[in-house]
Every structure is written in C-alpha cells, then in structure tokens.
Amino acid sequence: LGDMLYFCTGKHSQKFVNLRGNQNISLALPDTGSVVIIEGEAHAADRATTETLAEYFYNKYEWDFRYDTAADWRLVEVTPHKILAWGDGYDADGTRIW
C-alpha cells in the first residue's frame, strides 16, 4: 500500500524483538522457483496506519489482528530499498526491479 509493505508479528516474537536493535530487514517469499527478495527498513506502524491496515487485512484474510488474542500483534511497516526477482528462466543472475 503506497510503496510500503506490511506484515503482522507478535510483540514478543524474535522477529519483532530484533527490530528494536536493527531496523534493516530482508524478506523473501517461500517459493524457491520464482524468487523475490525485498530489502529495506522496518518499523512498527503508527496507530492511524494500524487502524487503516486492519481493515485491509480483514477484507483480504478475514482476520482482525487487533482483536486476535493468540498474540499481542504488531503491524510492521517496511520501506523497501531494493527488490530482486528471478526464476522465469531468462534471468539467471536476478533482476533488480526496485
């Protein structure tokens, strides 16, 4: 949304704890045949963003992390600095798309 990426994670998860000391992040999709790697900077989203994105999450996943008691969920906002992709058979070295 708006050149940003968002994901939810538990407040006490190692992922979220690590962000307190280092906001640099690398994300990858689990598909090993069509690879996408995103590098950027991550921060906990502010309250207004969290409220807006909660609606998007609910509409897409039928899940409202604000009321899910399985964890103390936090919305993380990622500003991508580099996006790499490969796997279509024509780009053995990968293609920088951002």
Side-chain angles (χ1 to χ4, degrees):
L1 182 66
D3 293 335
M4 300 290 206
L5 300 167
Y6 296 90
F7 66 89
C8 288
T9 190
K11 177 182 175 182
H12 301 292
S13 70
Q14 191 62 54
K15 187 182 311 183
F16 194 76
V17 170
N18 289 347
L19 288 175
R20 291 184 194 141
N22 183 354
Q23 289 76 43
N24 294 314
I25 192 166
S26 179
L27 305 168
L29 298 177
D31 186 345
T32 59
S34 298
V35 178
V36 176
I37 298 174
I38 301 164
E39 296 177 357
E41 189 174 324
H43 302 279
D46 62 32
R47 185 178 305 267
T49 302
T50 298
E51 292 301 315
T52 299
L53 267 289
E55 296 299 320
Y56 283 93
F57 270 71
Y58 184 77
N59 288 328
K60 183 170 184 173
Y61 303 111
E62 296 183 3
W63 176 59
D64 193 328
F65 58 84
R66 297 170 298 177
Y67 304 108
D68 183 345
T69 59
D72 190 358
W73 298 103
R74 293 295 185 259
L75 182 68
V76 177
E77 179 178 76
V78 178
T79 303
H81 297 306
K82 184 190 317 183
I83 301 174
L84 301 167
W86 62 94
D88 64 3
Y90 298 101
D91 54 355
D93 295 329
T95 301
R96 184 172 180 163
I97 58 176
W98 183 286

